[in-house]
Amino acid sequence: MEMIIQPDAETASRIAARLVAKLVRAKPDAVLGFATGDTPLLLYKELARLHKAEGLDFSRVTTFNLDEYIGVEPDHPCSYTRFMMENLFNHINVRPEKIHILNGMTKNIPEECARYEKAICDAGGIDLQVVGIGADGHIGFNEPSSSLSSRTRLKTLTDETRRDNARFFANASEVPHDAITMGVGTIMESRRIVFLAFGRDKANIVAKAVEGPITAMVPASALQLHPDVKVFVDEVASCKLERKSYYQWVYDNKPEWEQF
Ligand code: GLP
């Protein structure tokens, strides 16, 4: 895992956006995986700015989102479809038919999950997947005890996750109990992973995910087994990392050919 510790979320997100932009310029038909939540918002803002200011072209890009709530209509204010449209897709030139988000209203969940896995495969796999982390260590909606080789499927949310996500809903009881999510195994097949975590509240779980044992109880820890993960954290989210100064030295002394 490559640790990129920056003073604040803005700086870290700008560097992460540069990485995504570099890939899209080198491979205009790249397949990008996106995440929701507050964490990737600055990254999406920067990608929208790069599109507007520098003509970063998403017209041939294909996208897949990590997850969606069950029972939430795509145009519901809290759906992840709506989130992505409002925070990214309406601001770049991605083609609507190239956007893939799981259908939380499906009548046949296993079929919807199999369809999604096949769509990822048919697109040639995900070149770069953006992930955040939940306070309990989830990625996508892979809650603790998720199989580390799981595929896209139904997951029941923990009380902690429902509480954390209640801020997006009118009231806490409206937060769905279930979601469909790419599995940990699905995420692990992405060629590159950009892992973002900002804020003091993420410090403990970032340390567990990056430096702790690989365990299904912290699904994000599976990323330690991935050959190309870049972890972008701000100063406060990095404060529990035991080897923080080492990571910082490595990043500051990166050889030129490895810089982005
Ligand atoms: C949700 C999403 C995750 C996200 C997490 C953290 O549970 N399914 O993909 O990483 O929230 O959200 P935030 O970035 O708002 O802390």
Side-chain angles (χ1 to χ4, degrees), residues 58-70:
F58 291 88
S59 63
R60 293 173 59 200
V61 160
T62 298
T63 74
F64 287 91
N65 257 77
L66 284 171
D67 47 14
E68 181 57 286
Y69 291 113
I70 288 288

Side-chain angles (χ1 to χ4, degrees), residues 19-129:
L19 197 75
V20 176
K22 195 173 170 186
L23 169 66
V24 172
R25 287 192 184 108
K27 187 180 180 193
D29 61 348
V31 180
L32 302 179
F34 288 121
T36 52
D38 286 334
T39 308
L41 284 175
L42 292 165
L43 164 66
Y44 297 161
K45 216 169 151 189
E46 180 62 8
L47 290 177
R49 193 195 67 76
L50 289 172
H51 168 65
K52 207 167 159 217
E54 295 180 17
L56 184 63
D57 183 14
F58 291 88
S59 63
R60 293 173 59 200
V61 160
T62 298
T63 74
F64 287 91
N65 257 77
L66 284 171
D67 47 14
E68 181 57 286
Y69 291 113
I70 288 288
V72 169
E73 299 273 2
D75 60 354
H76 185 282
C78 299
S79 83
Y80 283 170
T81 303
R82 182 90 173 257
F83 176 97
M84 289 308 299
M85 296 311 295
E86 287 177 357
N87 293 298
L88 182 63
F89 298 150
N90 287 344
H91 310 285
I92 58 174
N93 64 335
V94 61
R95 300 238 295 273
E97 66 275 20
K98 294 201 175 261
I99 296 171
H100 299 84
I101 301 184
L102 283 152
N103 174 14
M105 295 304 290
T106 180
K107 295 276 170 291
N108 188 333
I109 292 171
E111 195 178 272
E112 171 64 3
C113 295
R115 182 195 65 79
Y116 207 67
E117 288 276 342
K118 182 170 181 309
I120 295 173
C121 219
D122 292 348
I126 295 171
D127 290 305
L128 183 151
Q129 175 68 54

Side-chain angles (χ1 to χ4, degrees), residues 36-39 66-67 80 132-134 138 140-141 161 165 167 202:
T36 52
D38 286 334
T39 308
L66 284 171
D67 47 14
Y80 283 170
I133 185 168
H138 70 242
F141 268 131
T161 296
N165 289 356
R167 67 189 193 280
K202 297 285 168 79

Side-chain angles (χ1 to χ4, degrees), residues 2-21 38-47 50 130-131 193-199 230-238 248 251 260:
E2 181 176 358
M3 302 301 298
I4 298 146
I5 302 170
Q6 294 296 310
D8 50 55
E10 285 78 9
T11 316
S13 302
R14 263 202 307 276
I15 301 171
R18 223 155 60 209
L19 197 75
V20 176
D38 286 334
T39 308
L41 284 175
L42 292 165
L43 164 66
Y44 297 161
K45 216 169 151 189
E46 180 62 8
L47 290 177
L50 289 172
V130 176
V131 298
I193 295 184
V194 165
F195 174 2
L196 308 170
F198 305 132
K230 292 188 170 36
V231 184
F232 292 83
V233 282
D234 60 3
E235 189 61 40
V236 281
S238 71
Q248 241 151 2
Y251 183 74
F260 41 86

